[in-house]
Amino acid sequence: MNDELAINYAAIENHGFAGDLNDFRITEHSKYNCRRVLLEKGSFLQIIVYAVVTRVFSVVGGLCKCSALDLKCRILGAFGIVISEDPDNERLYCNMKVPNLFPIGSFENVNYFNEIKEILSKEFTPVCDGIPANKKLYDAIRSENTVCLAVRRGDFMKEANKKNFYVCDLTYFQKAVNYIRQNVENPTFIVFSNDIAWVKANLKIGGGKCLL
């Protein structure tokens, strides 16, 4: 079998992450940059099925969201189009006998990747050596029970974005910190944020080690 991996960079490049995967040991792949990749690379049958199914379910999906999504995934999966729209509730379907497979969606569920966790850990190893100024951070990650805490504010705090994106408020983060303290022995929190001043003033990490 002559397998080839093609990664569509269109969406991530529009968000300012152009070429970021080049910094890691990702398996050899070809780069593709087109939002309509299925239209250009899919078979005629895949294109027709995707167009009809997505159109139909955009109309009937609201009647019974969960069962409609499952049926949509089953149909498209039979034609090699694997979609992920609701990672907490969906099941993935894929006909591996189809020549060209098209994963479409977010796939934001760690359970999808448990079987290849070790492979992914190796691939997402940086190509270049670490930055000397970050040695303290690297040492902590390697030797301690480190927990990453990403606190994004900035553009999320604009009124236009709050409704759709501002889910993780102070209460959310504080509950997360408390949960980790109860379930992880001697955790070291490594906090990344575009508003470190807010984190220092509001988030109560408690005793122990915290790197900001």
Side-chain angles (χ1 to χ4, degrees):
M1 182 180 292
N2 185 22
D3 292 336
E4 178 186 355
L5 173 65
I7 299 180
N8 185 6
Y9 282 73
I12 62 174
E13 289 193 344
N14 285 342
H15 287 83
F17 297 101
D20 279 18
L21 289 182
N22 295 330
D23 296 331
F24 301 93
R25 305 180 191 279
I26 305 300
T27 189
E28 184 177 347
H29 64 278
S30 56
K31 180 179 178 179
Y32 196 70
N33 193 333
C34 177
R35 286 192 172 277
R36 307 175 71 183
V37 61
L38 179 61
L39 185 61
E40 293 195 11
K41 296 296 184 179
S43 68
F44 178 75
L45 183 57
Q46 286 176 316
I47 294 170
I48 295 300
V49 169
Y50 182 77
V52 172
V53 170
T54 52
R55 176 61 178 170
V56 169
F57 281 92
S58 67
V59 176
V60 303
L63 300 179
C64 186
K65 185 176 180 180
C66 290
S67 53
L69 176 60
D70 189 70
L71 180 57
K72 176 182 176 181
C73 290
R74 284 176 181 269
I75 296 174
L76 292 177
F79 293 89
I81 304 170
V82 188
I83 62 171
S84 172
E85 296 181 357
D86 186 5
D88 292 329
N89 301 298
E90 70 195 8
R91 289 183 61 190
L92 299 183
Y93 300 94
C94 181
N95 180 2
M96 298 298 292
K97 296 180 180 180
V98 177
N100 293 326
L101 304 178
F102 293 89
I104 300 174
S106 60
F107 300 92
E108 295 176 348
N109 189 322
V110 68
N111 294 322
Y112 296 158
F113 310 103
N114 284 335
E115 293 183 4
I116 58 172
K117 180 179 179 180
E118 291 187 8
I119 296 175
L120 291 178
S121 295
K122 291 179 180 178
E123 291 199 352
F124 280 96
T125 300
V127 175
C128 301
D129 294 332
I131 302 172
N134 290 335
K135 185 179 184 304
K136 181 180 178 181
L137 181 62
Y138 301 147
D139 290 343
I141 292 174
R142 294 189 183 101
S143 61
E144 302 173 23
N145 285 335
T146 51
V147 178
C148 172
L149 185 61
V151 181
R152 179 172 174 178
R153 289 175 59 77
D155 57 326
F156 271 20
M157 304 310 298
K158 294 180 180 179
E159 290 302 322
N161 295 330
K162 272 189 176 182
K163 182 178 180 180
N164 294 322
F165 302 112
Y166 188 52
V167 177
C168 304
D169 55 12
L170 177 59
T171 301
Y172 173 93
F173 285 113
Q174 195 61 63
K175 286 183 177 180
V177 168
N178 296 340
Y179 176 85
I180 292 298
R181 289 214 164 277
Q182 293 171 6
N183 292 276
V184 177
E185 184 178 358
N186 298 322
T188 293
F189 291 91
I190 299 179
V191 183
F192 298 89
S193 178
N194 55 358
D195 194 348
I196 290 295
W198 181 90
V199 174
K200 290 180 177 179
N202 295 280
L203 192 59
K204 296 178 175 60
I205 299 295
K209 194 172 181 180
C210 177
L211 302 176
L212 299 172

